[in-house]
Amino acid sequence: MARITSITVEDVRFPTSLTADGSDAMNKDADYSAAYVVVRTDATDSLGEPLAGYGLTFTIGRGNDIVATAARQQGAVLVGRDVDEVAADMGGVYRALTSDSQLRWLGPEKGVVHLSLAAVLNATWDLVARRAAKPLWRLLADMTPAELVDVADLRYLSDALTRDEAVAILEAKRAGKAERIAHLERTGYPVYTTSAGWLGYDDAKLRRLCQEAVDAGYGHIKLKVGASLEDDVRRLSIAREVIGPDRRLMVDANQVWDVPQAIDWMSELVRFDPLWIEEPTSPDDVLGHAAIRRAVAPIGVATGEHCHNRVMFKQFFQAEAIDYCQLDTGRLASINEIVAVLLLAAKFGVPVCPHAGGVGLCEMVQHVSVLDYVAIAGDLTDRVTEFVDHLHEHFTDPCVVADTGAGSGYVLPSRPGYSTQMHEVSVERYRFPGGDFWAAAPRNGSSAESSEESRAGALR
Amino acid sequence: MARITSITVEDVRFPTSLTADGSDAMNKDADYSAAYVVVRTDATDSLGEPLAGYGLTFTIGRGNDIVATAARQQGAVLVGRDVDEVAADMGGVYRALTSDSQLRWLGPEKGVVHLSLAAVLNATWDLVARRAAKPLWRLLADMTPAELVDVADLRYLSDALTRDEAVAILEAKRAGKAERIAHLERTGYPVYTTSAGWLGYDDAKLRRLCQEAVDAGYGHIKLKVGASLEDDVRRLSIAREVIGPDRRLMVDANQVWDVPQAIDWMSELVRFDPLWIEEPTSPDDVLGHAAIRRAVAPIGVATGEHCHNRVMFKQFFQAEAIDYCQLDTGRLASINEIVAVLLLAAKFGVPVCPHAGGVGLCEMVQHVSVLDYVAIAGDLTDRVTEFVDHLHEHFTDPCVVADTGAGSGYVLPSRPGYSTQMHEVSVERYRFPGGDFWAAAPRNGSSAESSEESRAGALR
């Protein structure tokens, strides 16, 4: 009998603040980071290698240690568990991890303890898919409707989605899976790029990156907005000029506006024909998003990267508050909660266009979007998944985006797992604060500077 | 010039799980705990003693260390700050503490980083009130409307409450403050008790505690429900029998139900004439609470102890989802966010009946309820604040509840500060894991047991 022998969690930080990658109206100095979980077992995989799972959640620097600490406490309950039992009952594993009422109090189901839960479960799902020698999307798509619903967390959803409805949604898409997989093998899953549009880039860099995106076959481009209306108008003019009238342009305000301000600001940007305004206000404001959506139509409203759980998404759907669901694979509690949201979105007819970027999010969302198309929504209409071309070099099975002639798309993942194993040299170099990079350059990057202050403060 | 010289944070846990105090349908083994912050300065107070501030947030055991770690990181930015400047600009202090976009990512404005922010700000407000030699409620009630609105966080609220409206609400209550204070000096602030109704108590203890509550002058009693309908019917029958038909009976389900289940269950309990059903479902489910409220009327719906920020309360009010606002002084980001919620509640006409109990929450809520009556709502109709008679012995200025002939009430706090300084001997004894209590009885209490497992797991 094989068992889980250890769960380790690393605080890994990349000094992205040095280049203004990831800068937006709310977040100006992000050091993209991962609370990186490794679940080790005494089993071997199909190749005779030691079987392990690798997963993460994403943060933007300071506090990544706090998430890692929470993940260590949550993960500990899995040590000693039978690997076959874990693989056969991921719904039960989820309940075991969420049933600690003392840690639940710190959310509930939100914030640090939910991010850390995502990291632990993401690594465990990676383990389960590797054990089955399948990419995670295929492991899930191969499940029967009842099996997939059994792993989904439907608690608090029954006023919007019953278990029977969930099974029926999946039953309705059992036929045609092979054709849909074949379609994605030809075209990839549709993507858009945010790499061009960070606020910290100057106009020349913005123009060059927009042109490169067009040349690379992107049909959608997203820009950050919200810091200065004058700057937004100038930058959107440049982008529209480069991409032309037919490609889609999205804008993202990263929560900087109140509701009335969002409506006013977008009335100035509507002339650039944006497909959606993303995160126009507080991610908690379901009714505010609904008000904005009514006011800015036909511009769509999108949110989700900070939507903390399925109960919030349920309400976004019930209130008809959003046109696009941008769930986040590091913020929702892994596949168990993501499947619930995909089912809700399918019932309410809202396209899921997951948030990605950061560290490892692109690696994960490709599995989620493929699963959604193959087994749940069964539709690509209005779907486009985020891609940011940063930090993939740190992963052993990085996502690949290619232009197949039908526009750029995520190439269907084929290797076992959830694609989130990092190279050991990357973990060693960027482990915070002791890794080679941070030890050699302690004043580089905003994580380091402020964390030194924090430590000094705590010691006084 | 006086400066803040240090911020220290202690992980203090009380072994309440040994006696089933605090047991409910969701939380069966709570060890009531505090992330306890001390802000030290090189100033002296009006008595010539060293000036410091003492504050906390409340958790129920495991993970209290995580909150303490976050509080250390957030508090560090205040070290070295000028005490007079801090006291004169608590709105600015709040913004300084909330403007760290990297830590903000871990919420935003929810979960661990919001609990820890509450702890740091609660201690800072205690410092500011001690410096002014006033109880905190009086410091705030003495502010002009503009000054009080300046400390309130109105971000994301302008679709429901503008700054001008907020000032107008306070202006309307400037007259009559002295009379309202005099009234509270005679009667105290109305309270109810939850001490009788924990799920872990047997029927005999329930009956005895209900009788004691009646004898002590309580007009309201609250019972936990939701684990077993049969048990609930039996326990509510006992409670009604003891308290009679005229005293008010409230019930609290601690989030265990889905929306349809809450409606069904309450249809069975309506015959006991409950005043409110508290936390019938997920604390995030604004629309779910609204649906429950429509279905269970005339039973009121109450929630708030897990409502994580002002944006959520805004929506509970906008959606007419609750009859009673049970804000929590350890979960909202201290006075800055609480005043915003009190203003919203006043505008929407929803009575605020704060959550208390735990550790130190009763000490804090008395200030909040008094402020609400004296300066904001100006009304006691339908107001009753929670009181749980546990753990007050650990505080240097514990809250006092007395029957003045008009029913039991919180006696108006008179000593400077926020009433949340703990005895040093209590901190020393219950510091986790090294304090005398935990060192001598490492297997007592659920914190200790599971945390040992956690530590062992992390070390493997």
Side-chain angles (χ1 to χ4, degrees), chain B residues 217-239:
Chain B
Y218 286 100
H220 299 72
I221 284 177
K222 192 167 81 183
L223 263 64
K224 301 292 181 177
V225 297
S228 149
L229 182 57
E230 185 184 345
D231 289 349
D232 288 352
V233 167
R234 193 185 67 256
R235 297 173 71 255
L236 287 175
S237 299
I238 292 170

Side-chain angles (χ1 to χ4, degrees), chain B residues 203-400:
Chain B
D203 289 355
K205 185 167 184 179
L206 170 68
R207 183 180 294 274
R208 175 171 60 79
L209 291 173
C210 283
Q211 187 59 53
E212 289 177 8
V214 169
D215 295 344
Y218 286 100
H220 299 72
I221 284 177
K222 192 167 81 183
L223 263 64
K224 301 292 181 177
V225 297
S228 149
L229 182 57
E230 185 184 345
D231 289 349
D232 288 352
V233 167
R234 193 185 67 256
R235 297 173 71 255
L236 287 175
S237 299
I238 292 170
R240 236 337 146 202
E241 182 190 326
V242 175
I243 71 171
D246 295 331
R247 290 187 186 80
R248 309 311 298 257
L249 183 61
M250 295 92 94
V251 295
D252 182 356
N254 291 88
Q255 315 168 26
V256 293
W257 299 319
D258 272 35
V259 172
Q261 192 183 13
I263 294 169
D264 291 348
W265 201 295
M266 288 312 297
S267 74
E268 301 288 334
L269 301 188
V270 67
R271 62 190 162 108
F272 299 104
D273 189 25
L275 177 65
W276 74 51
I277 170 61
E278 178 171 332
E279 289 206 303
T281 189
S282 164
D284 296 334
D285 199 348
V286 173
L287 301 178
H289 280 79
I292 293 167
R293 181 170 181 260
R294 288 191 296 271
V296 305
I299 302 170
V301 170
T303 197
E305 74 179 86
H306 286 85
C307 182
H308 55 266
N309 64 32
R310 69 203 175 283
V311 178
M312 297 301 291
F313 274 119
K314 177 183 76 168
Q315 294 175 87
F316 276 107
F317 300 145
Q318 289 173 319
E320 301 182 359
I322 55 174
D323 297 278
Y324 301 93
C325 166
Q326 302 180 302
L327 64 82
D328 185 289
T329 53
R331 205 168 282 276
L332 294 180
S334 194
I335 293 300
N336 306 78
E337 193 166 31
I338 289 169
V339 169
V341 173
L342 294 177
L343 287 163
L344 280 169
K347 174 169 174 183
F348 284 87
V350 176
V352 177
C353 303
H355 170 248
V359 181
L361 299 183
C362 297
E363 276 65 30
M364 289 189 276
V365 292
Q366 55 183 345
H367 292 268
V368 169
S369 284
V370 170
L371 171 69
D372 187 42
Y373 175 57
V374 170
I376 302 178
D379 195 353
L380 291 177
T381 312
D382 294 331
R383 270 77 173 177
V384 62
T385 295
E386 188 161 22
F387 172 66
V388 185
D389 195 6
H390 293 159
L391 304 174
H392 303 294
E393 65 274 21
H394 300 296
F395 292 87
T396 62
D397 180 23
C399 65
V400 176

Side-chain angles (χ1 to χ4, degrees), chain A residues 29 62 65 73 79 100 102 104-105 156 158 255 258 284-286 309 314-315 331 446 460, chain B residues 29 62 65 73 79 100 102 104-105 156 158 255 258 284-286 309 314-315 331 446 460:
Chain A
D29 64 348
R62 282 186 295 282
D65 54 324
Q73 295 192 15
V79 176
D100 184 320
Q102 298 187 29
R104 185 182 185 278
W105 183 272
Y156 296 135
S158 63
Q255 315 168 26
D258 272 34
D284 296 334
D285 199 348
V286 173
N309 64 33
K314 178 184 75 166
Q315 295 175 86
R331 206 168 281 275
S446 57
R460 279 189 195 114
Chain B
D29 64 348
R62 282 186 294 282
D65 54 323
Q73 295 192 16
V79 176
D100 185 318
Q102 297 186 28
R104 185 183 186 279
W105 183 273
Y156 296 135
S158 63
Q255 315 168 26
D258 272 35
D284 296 334
D285 199 348
V286 173
N309 64 32
K314 177 183 76 168
Q315 294 175 87
R331 205 168 282 276
S446 58
R460 277 185 195 117

